[in-house]
């Protein structure tokens, strides 16, 4: 450019104080192209680099140059380095922003130290980071001082000293299969044995902010053992140790352990009386006819249960069988009356027995029968398994067997053709409520029909309408209709709340006889011929009997 542009047409110089950069342009007919890179090249040739240049002023210069208008413009300046230090609102950190100089003096360590002092920063200064920033010549929001946060204390902790405390559940064998007949051993502690260690809270660790202010920690929360723990107390010589006061089963609760006592009996008969016990009952022998047992925990019976009643909040294990009686002789699909079965076994957990005859059983999870089920009403929220895996002696004969997910046996029904009903796919307890509501609705409708017949007769024979009989009949009918409406409303409510369970099965490992009925949800299969082994399951809304099994864990 200098070869074609007159030497005095475009010149650059510093102001008299040496801090401003001036550009002067004189009108010239000879003007080669001019851009920013050319201007910077000229400044470097004139030993004027590294100054701060104003973009807007440079744009004005290029515009006037293009229009060939004389001008004197201030296009840049000499700037010293700048340091800015900010302290966060919590005073836990100080940050440095370092701007490099433009032809001026760089920031010094002394300047940064003075700025820190003015900001009141005296603690946690990171000298190595400051030196590196000065060496690099720039920094953006660089943390150069860091406070020490206070560390809150830990709350009281409770450490169980009973490693064997665990939920009782089916044990897993070497092949990875769940053995629903082995629920593991009960955990038992004896009087004086340690149950739980209480670890006291800590005060925490003090901190300090960048201004040197001491920060007090939040102390840990001090929590004692829960008061009134059944079967346990704080040790007299160590107030952080909980010990058992009785022999029984330990159970973890919030901030403590309770001990549920276990009672051991040779048998239950007239000599012991009925049993109502808050804990677990172990019975070595039999439970005799007419006896009643209630336990909040598990019930273990080493012998046979006769026509007796057992109810447990946990699991029920009967090593022998159940031999009951029933006065119920109607269709087995009917809802049994309150005292139809004299043997009743009810558990919120699982029930297992060797065999069951003429009994009513209800389980919150599974019913597991080793050999056979005859003329029973069995209800399980999950599954009913009759017989050992691969065994051929497991029969379900007669009665109603209801489970949500699965019913499995070697043989269903008998060669005599007795009615044997298997129901899966619904919550059986809701299904039972529906059946009872159905009976109630039928009885209600029958009573209304009878009232209407009497009313028609009285209206046809006015002399029979004595003491306001017709009005009494009308009021009675209105009440029955209101009662019937409530029954229908309750039925609709249960139907809306009762989900249909997917992937349900009835597995037959050997044979299913004529007379067996398979109910899956609302669909019914009435078996009219003897068949071999197979699986009943719902396929496209129709019950299918085949050999393909869904996965059963």
């Amino acid at each position: 450019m200098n070869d074609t542009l007159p030497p005095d047409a475009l010149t650059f110089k510093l102001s008299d104080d040496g801090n401003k950069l001036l550009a002067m342009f004189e009108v010239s007919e000879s003007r080669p192209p001019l851009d920013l890179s050319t201007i910077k090249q000229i400044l470097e040739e004139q030993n004027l680099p590294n100054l701060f240049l104003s973009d807007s002023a440079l744009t004005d210069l290029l515009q006037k140059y293009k229009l060939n208008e004389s001008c004197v413009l201030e296009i840049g300046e000499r700037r010293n380095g700048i340091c800015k230090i900010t302290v966060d609102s919590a005073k836990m950190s100080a940050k440095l922003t370092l701007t490099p100089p433009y032809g001026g003096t760089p920031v010094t360590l002394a300047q940064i130290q003075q700025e820190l002092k003015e900001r009141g920063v005296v603690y946690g200064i990171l000298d190595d980071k400051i030196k590196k920033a000065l060496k690099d010549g720039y920094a953006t929001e660089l943390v150069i001082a860091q406070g020490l946060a206070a560390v809150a204390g830990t709350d009281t902790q409770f450490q169980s000293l009973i490693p064997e405390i665990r939920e009782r559940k089916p044990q897993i064998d070497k092949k990875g299969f769940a053995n629903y007949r082995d629920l593991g051993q009960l955990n038992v502690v004896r009087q004086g044995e340690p149950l739980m260690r209480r670890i006291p809270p800590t005060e925490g660790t003090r901190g300090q902010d960048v201004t040197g202010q001491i920060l007090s920690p939040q102390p840990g929360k001090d929590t004692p053992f829960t008061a009134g723990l059944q079967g346990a107390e704080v040790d007299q010589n160590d107030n952080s140790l909980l010990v058992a006061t009785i022999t029984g089963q330990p159970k973890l609760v919030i901030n403590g352990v309770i001990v549920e006592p276990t009672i051991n009996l040779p048998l239950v008969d007239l000599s012991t009386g009925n049993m109502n016990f808050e804990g677990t009952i172990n019975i070595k022998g039999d439970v005799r006819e007419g006896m009643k047992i209630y336990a909040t925990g598990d019930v273990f019976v080493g012998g046979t249960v006769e026509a007796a009643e057992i109810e447990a909040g946990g699991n029920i294990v009967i090593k022998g069988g159940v031999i009951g009686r029933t006065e119920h002789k109607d269709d087995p699909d009917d809802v049994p009356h309150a005292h139809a079965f004299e043997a009743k076994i009810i558990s919120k957990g699982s029930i297992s027995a060797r065999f069951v005859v003429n009994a009513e059983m209800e389980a919150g999870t599974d019913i597991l029968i080793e050999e056979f089920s005859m003329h029973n009403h069995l209800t399980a929220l999950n599954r009913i398994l009759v017989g050992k895996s691969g065994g051929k002696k497991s029969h379900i004969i007669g009665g109603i067997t209801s489970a949500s997910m699965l019913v499995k046996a070697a043989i269903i029904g008998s060669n005599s053709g007795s009615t044997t009903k298997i129901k899966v796919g619904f919550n059986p307890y809701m299904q039972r409520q529906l059946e009872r509501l159905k009976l109630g609705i039928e009885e209600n409708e029958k009573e209304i029909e009878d009232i209407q017949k009497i009313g028609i007769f009285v209206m046809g024979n006015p002399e029979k309408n004595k003491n306001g009989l017709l009005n009494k009949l009308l009021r009675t009918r209105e009440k029955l209709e209101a009662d019937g409406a409530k029954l229908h409303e309750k039925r609709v409510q249960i139907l809306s709340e009762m989900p249909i369970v997917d992937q349900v099965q009835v597995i037959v490992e050997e044979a299913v006889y004529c007379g067996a009925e398979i109910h899956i949800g609302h669909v019914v299969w009435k078996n009219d011929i003897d068949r071999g082994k197979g699986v009943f399951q719902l396929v496209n809304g129709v019950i299918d009997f085949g050999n393909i099994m869904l996965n059963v864990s």
Side-chain angles (χ1 to χ4, degrees):
M1 186 186 95
N2 291 336
D3 293 337
T4 56
L5 183 69
D8 295 332
L10 178 63
T11 59
F12 300 90
K13 72 173 185 176
L14 293 173
S15 62
D16 293 339
D17 61 6
N19 292 324
K20 306 294 184 181
L21 176 63
L22 304 176
M24 293 163 289
F25 172 67
E26 296 291 336
V27 174
S28 174
E29 296 299 323
S30 175
R31 298 190 316 279
L34 181 67
D35 56 19
L36 290 177
S37 62
T38 305
I39 292 175
K40 291 179 180 179
Q41 180 182 348
I42 295 172
L43 291 173
E44 188 171 354
E45 290 173 355
Q46 295 185 7
N47 200 25
L48 295 172
N50 300 326
L51 297 177
F52 176 81
L53 299 178
S54 169
D55 291 337
S56 60
L58 289 173
T59 300
D60 288 344
L61 175 62
L62 291 173
Q63 184 67 18
K64 291 184 180 297
Y65 181 89
K66 181 179 180 181
L67 298 175
N68 200 17
E69 295 179 358
S70 297
C71 66
V72 177
L73 297 175
E74 184 180 302
I75 64 169
E77 64 182 357
R78 189 186 305 278
R79 288 185 178 181
N80 294 330
I82 301 173
C83 72
K84 179 182 178 183
I85 294 175
T86 58
V87 178
D88 67 1
S89 59
K91 299 181 181 180
M92 291 303 293
S93 69
K95 296 179 180 178
L96 168 68
T97 296
L98 188 62
T99 304
Y102 290 89
T105 304
V107 174
T108 65
L109 176 61
Q111 287 177 285
I112 294 176
Q113 291 173 337
Q114 180 61 31
E115 185 74 11
L116 286 170
K117 183 178 179 181
E118 291 177 1
R119 298 289 180 183
V121 178
V122 298
Y123 177 81
I125 297 173
L126 307 174
D127 293 323
D128 290 343
K129 287 194 174 184
I130 295 174
K131 291 177 182 178
K132 186 176 186 305
L134 288 171
K135 182 179 180 182
D136 294 338
Y138 68 93
T140 302
E141 294 287 314
L142 176 68
V143 176
I144 60 170
Q146 185 70 62
L148 178 65
V151 179
T154 57
D155 295 340
T156 300
Q157 298 180 54
F158 297 89
Q159 178 185 5
S160 170
L161 301 179
I162 309 171
E164 292 301 317
I165 280 188
R166 63 186 183 279
E167 178 188 2
R168 296 188 66 251
K169 57 184 179 180
Q171 302 298 292
I172 306 300
D173 62 20
K174 295 180 180 179
K175 296 182 179 180
F177 295 103
N179 185 346
Y180 286 89
R181 295 171 178 82
D182 179 14
L183 301 179
Q185 297 296 318
L186 289 173
N187 296 300
V188 177
V189 295
R190 290 170 176 78
Q191 183 178 1
E193 289 185 356
L195 302 173
M196 178 171 282
R197 168 67 64 181
R198 175 182 172 276
I199 302 173
T202 61
E203 292 296 326
T205 305
R206 295 194 305 174
Q208 191 172 0
D209 67 20
V210 295
T211 67
Q213 182 70 33
I214 298 300
L215 305 177
S216 299
Q218 177 71 34
K221 183 179 179 181
D222 190 5
T223 305
F225 288 114
T226 296
L229 293 170
Q230 176 189 358
E233 66 178 10
V234 176
D235 186 82
Q236 296 179 356
N237 300 318
D238 185 351
N239 61 10
S240 291
L241 182 66
L242 191 70
V243 297
T245 59
I246 60 172
T247 297
Q249 285 185 271
K251 180 181 178 181
L252 287 173
V253 296
I254 296 176
N255 303 335
V257 178
I258 63 173
V259 180
E260 292 183 337
T262 298
I263 187 169
N264 297 289
L265 300 167
L267 79 168
V268 174
D269 62 4
L270 290 175
S271 67
T272 63
N274 294 331
M275 303 302 300
N276 188 329
F277 200 71
E278 293 186 5
T280 293
I281 300 176
N282 284 315
I283 303 165
K284 187 176 181 180
D286 300 334
V287 177
R288 298 291 169 78
E289 180 177 343
M291 305 308 298
K292 294 183 179 180
I293 297 172
Y294 174 80
T296 59
D298 300 327
V299 174
F300 293 85
V301 180
T304 299
V305 176
E306 299 175 2
E309 296 182 14
I310 301 176
E311 183 175 354
N315 302 317
I316 296 177
V317 177
I318 302 170
K319 291 298 184 181
V322 179
I323 305 174
R325 277 204 314 264
T326 179
E327 301 298 327
H328 188 64
K329 301 184 182 299
D330 298 329
D331 185 334
D333 195 29
D334 287 343
V335 179
H337 300 293
H339 301 288
F341 291 99
E342 296 183 16
K344 294 183 179 181
I345 314 296
I346 301 173
S347 168
K348 290 184 179 180
S350 66
I351 301 174
S352 64
R354 183 179 174 187
F355 61 85
V356 183
V357 179
N358 286 328
E360 181 178 3
M361 278 189 172
E362 296 182 12
T365 55
D366 298 332
I367 293 178
L368 314 164
I369 300 173
E370 290 187 17
E371 294 183 2
F372 59 86
S373 167
M374 294 182 62
H375 309 298
N376 303 303
H377 279 249
L378 307 180
T379 303
L381 195 56
N382 189 16
R383 306 184 298 179
I384 297 177
L385 309 178
V386 179
K388 296 180 179 178
S389 181
K392 295 185 178 182
K393 295 182 179 180
S394 58
H395 294 63
I396 299 178
I397 301 173
I400 303 174
T401 302
S402 303
S404 296
M405 295 296 299
L406 169 69
V407 173
K408 180 180 178 183
I411 299 172
I412 293 178
S414 67
N415 52 19
S416 66
S418 61
T419 302
T420 302
K421 296 193 176 186
I422 309 295
K423 297 183 177 184
V424 294
F426 281 129
N427 181 315
Y429 295 102
M430 286 187 172
Q431 185 66 36
R432 180 172 294 182
Q433 290 182 57
L434 284 176
E435 291 168 348
R436 289 171 178 159
L437 283 171
K438 178 183 176 183
L439 288 179
I441 290 170
E442 290 174 352
E443 291 174 1
N444 176 268
E445 291 173 347
K446 179 66 168 59
E447 290 182 32
I448 292 175
E449 182 182 350
D450 292 342
I451 290 292
Q452 288 174 335
K453 289 179 180 179
I454 297 172
I456 292 171
F457 174 78
V458 172
M459 284 189 292
N461 300 273
E463 70 275 12
K464 300 292 184 182
N465 187 20
K466 297 179 180 180
N467 300 320
L469 176 60
L470 200 58
N471 288 332
K472 291 179 181 178
L473 290 172
L474 180 60
R475 289 194 296 271
T476 302
R477 189 184 70 178
E478 289 175 349
K479 182 180 184 305
L480 288 171
E481 288 174 345
D483 292 341
K486 290 180 181 179
L487 291 173
H488 280 286
E489 183 180 346
K490 183 63 176 176
R491 182 176 182 274
V492 170
Q493 178 186 350
I494 292 176
L495 285 172
S496 67
E497 295 174 352
M498 187 166 69
I500 299 176
V501 182
D502 294 330
Q503 296 187 345
V504 298
Q505 297 175 305
V506 176
I507 299 177
V508 182
E509 295 185 324
E510 185 174 343
V512 55
Y513 287 106
C514 180
E517 290 186 13
I518 309 300
H519 298 238
I520 301 181
H522 296 294
V523 186
V524 180
W525 170 303
K526 292 188 177 183
N527 194 43
D528 53 358
I529 61 173
D530 295 344
R531 301 174 187 272
K533 64 181 180 180
V535 180
F536 290 96
Q537 51 196 349
L538 206 58
V539 178
N540 297 325
V542 178
I543 294 179
D544 176 72
F545 182 67
N547 293 320
I548 299 176
M549 296 186 187
L550 300 172
N551 291 328
V552 181
S553 59

